[in-house]
């Protein structure tokens, strides 16, 4: 199903001259492409290098409350853990530009975030202090039962002795209680 087409010689340039150039034209692009690919790629990378893929490292830490530990001591432990996690994140990967650390504490079965440390590499390099870059959650003390005067539902209500005059009458068929 192929079709043969007869080429007509050019009226301006003789056909034999065109055929000589056609052979050279077929060889030149192949050689040009093969030998110019690397220099073109190299020049392109020198002019416009690839962008750096920087990212944020996110770390979630959970620590347990120690027996007889107060809230301030717990905060210092949380800050130390956040500082170590941020430093470790920057040290492990050079592409990390930002670090986000959230420290949660477990106390008496309750879990609450205590602090969030969000810092960039230049900030951390100039001042690696977690107190400077941390955000403290104010409600964590109450959520973790560290209140100074804990109020429980049972202790908030004072026990009232039952008043016998207010006792309901016994159901029918049952004897009344003796006084």
């Amino acid at each position: 199903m192929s079709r043969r087409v007869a080429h007509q010689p050019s009226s301006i340039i003789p056909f034999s001259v065109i055929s000589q150039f056609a052979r050279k034209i077929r060889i030149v692009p192949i050689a040009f492409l093969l030998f110019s690919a690397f220099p073109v790629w190299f020049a392109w990378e020198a002019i416009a290098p690839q962008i750096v893929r920087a990212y944020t490292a996110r770390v979630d830490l959970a620590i347990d409350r120690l027996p007889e530990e107060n809230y301030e001591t717990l905060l210092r432990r949380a800050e130390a853990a956040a500082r170590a996690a941020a430093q470790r994140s920057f040290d492990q990967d050079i592409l990390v530009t930002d670090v986000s650390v959230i420290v949660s504490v477990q106390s008496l079965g309750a879990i609450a975030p205590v602090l969030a440390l969000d810092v960039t590499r230049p900030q951390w390099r100039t001042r690696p202090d977690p107190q400077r870059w941390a955000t403290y959650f104010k409600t964590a003390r109450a959520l973790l039962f560290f209140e100074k005067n804990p109020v429980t539902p049972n202790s908030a209500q004072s026990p009232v002795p039952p008043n016998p005059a207010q006792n309901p009458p016994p159901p029918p068929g049952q004897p009344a209680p003796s006084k």
Side-chain angles (χ1 to χ4, degrees):
M1 300 262 245
S2 65
R3 187 174 174 191
R4 289 186 151 201
V5 177
H7 294 284
Q8 297 292 329
S10 173
S11 59
I12 301 171
I13 302 173
F15 187 67
S16 61
V17 174
I18 292 176
S19 65
Q20 289 175 358
F21 283 119
R23 286 186 198 135
K24 291 180 182 176
I25 290 173
R26 287 184 203 134
I27 295 172
V28 170
I30 294 172
F32 178 75
L33 287 175
L34 289 176
F35 293 116
S36 67
F38 180 74
V40 168
W41 171 80
F42 187 75
W44 183 262
E45 287 299 316
I47 293 170
Q50 293 180 358
I51 58 172
V52 176
R53 305 269 182 212
Y55 58 92
T56 300
R58 301 193 188 285
V59 180
D60 292 326
L61 297 175
I63 58 175
D64 292 328
R65 176 185 178 187
L66 297 176
E68 302 301 320
E69 183 176 35
N70 62 14
Y71 188 70
E72 286 70 28
T73 307
L74 184 72
L75 275 181
R76 298 304 151 249
R77 279 199 318 128
E79 289 169 354
R83 183 184 195 288
Q87 187 65 48
R88 192 176 326 114
S89 296
F90 284 129
D91 290 344
Q92 284 180 351
D93 195 352
I94 61 170
L95 296 179
V96 171
T97 56
D98 300 326
V99 171
S100 176
V101 180
I102 296 177
V103 181
S104 299
V105 174
Q106 181 176 359
S107 172
L108 303 173
I111 299 174
V114 175
L115 68 88
L117 176 71
D118 293 316
V119 64
T120 64
R121 187 180 290 268
Q123 290 172 335
W124 191 255
R125 190 176 295 138
T126 59
R127 190 164 178 193
D129 182 16
Q131 289 180 345
R132 168 95 169 130
W133 311 112
T135 302
Y136 297 90
F137 298 108
K138 295 177 183 178
T139 58
R141 180 186 295 254
L143 291 173
L144 295 171
F145 307 113
F146 276 104
E147 296 174 336
K148 296 189 192 279
N149 296 325
V151 177
T152 59
N154 294 338
S155 66
Q157 300 172 353
S158 61
V160 177
N163 187 354
Q166 293 178 349
N167 285 345
Q174 293 218 358
S178 62
K179 293 186 184 180

